[in-house]
Amino acid sequence: MDLFILSVSGGLGAIVRYLVGNIIMEKYPDPPIPMAMLSVNILGALGLGLFYGAYFRYIPMDAYDNLWFLALGIGFFGAFTTFSTFSMEALELFRKKSYQRLVWYVAISLLGSIVMFSVGYGLGLWI
């Protein structure tokens, strides 16, 4: 049953990532940094933080047996966000010698995700 829930929620997260990414790429067809994955990762961090704050009220390190964590934390948000695509896009900026864009992309991605997770977590606690 756990694998079924993980598969469905992960599939939904991947579909939403694809749709959101396409919308952003249509709106910004030639961005200076990869806006689609940057936006998806920051939105995912916000959503995961909101979930943690609202549902758990703390950040559990042993939540793998929790059905909601499996479905939302690992499944949906795990598939919605993507560190592998972030890494590939960062390496591509490096390969193109776009060092300034690379630094901005990495900094905004990492700091933005941490900040937005914190904002989401705080909002979740407030709800």
Side-chain angles (χ1 to χ4, degrees):
M1 186 64 166
D2 287 354
L3 292 179
F4 175 75
I5 290 168
L6 186 61
S7 298
V8 170
S9 59
L12 290 173
I15 290 168
V16 173
R17 176 180 74 205
Y18 173 77
L19 294 174
V20 169
N22 277 345
I23 290 167
I24 292 169
M25 287 189 298
E26 286 175 12
K27 187 168 177 109
Y28 304 101
D30 192 27
I33 59 175
M35 291 300 297
M37 283 305 104
L38 173 66
S39 300
V40 162
N41 287 336
I42 287 177
L43 284 172
L46 175 70
L48 186 62
L50 186 62
F51 166 65
Y52 268 69
Y55 183 74
F56 288 110
R57 315 297 296 169
Y58 65 98
I59 300 175
M61 295 299 155
D62 59 347
Y64 280 79
D65 293 330
N66 182 291
L67 186 63
W68 286 107
F69 177 75
L70 180 67
L72 292 175
I74 296 174
F76 183 83
F77 287 113
F80 181 71
T81 59
T82 172
F83 196 75
S84 56
T85 302
F86 160 75
S87 301
M88 183 261 319
E89 290 172 338
L91 186 60
E92 184 62 15
L93 289 171
F94 181 80
R95 189 188 67 75
K96 290 180 177 179
K97 296 181 170 65
S98 297
Y99 302 122
Q100 187 175 13
R101 290 179 181 185
L102 170 65
V103 168
W104 278 109
Y105 181 54
V106 170
I108 294 169
S109 294
L110 295 177
L111 294 174
S113 293
I114 293 168
V115 167
M116 291 310 285
F117 179 88
S118 300
V119 167
Y121 182 70
L123 287 172
L125 290 175
W126 183 70
I127 292 176

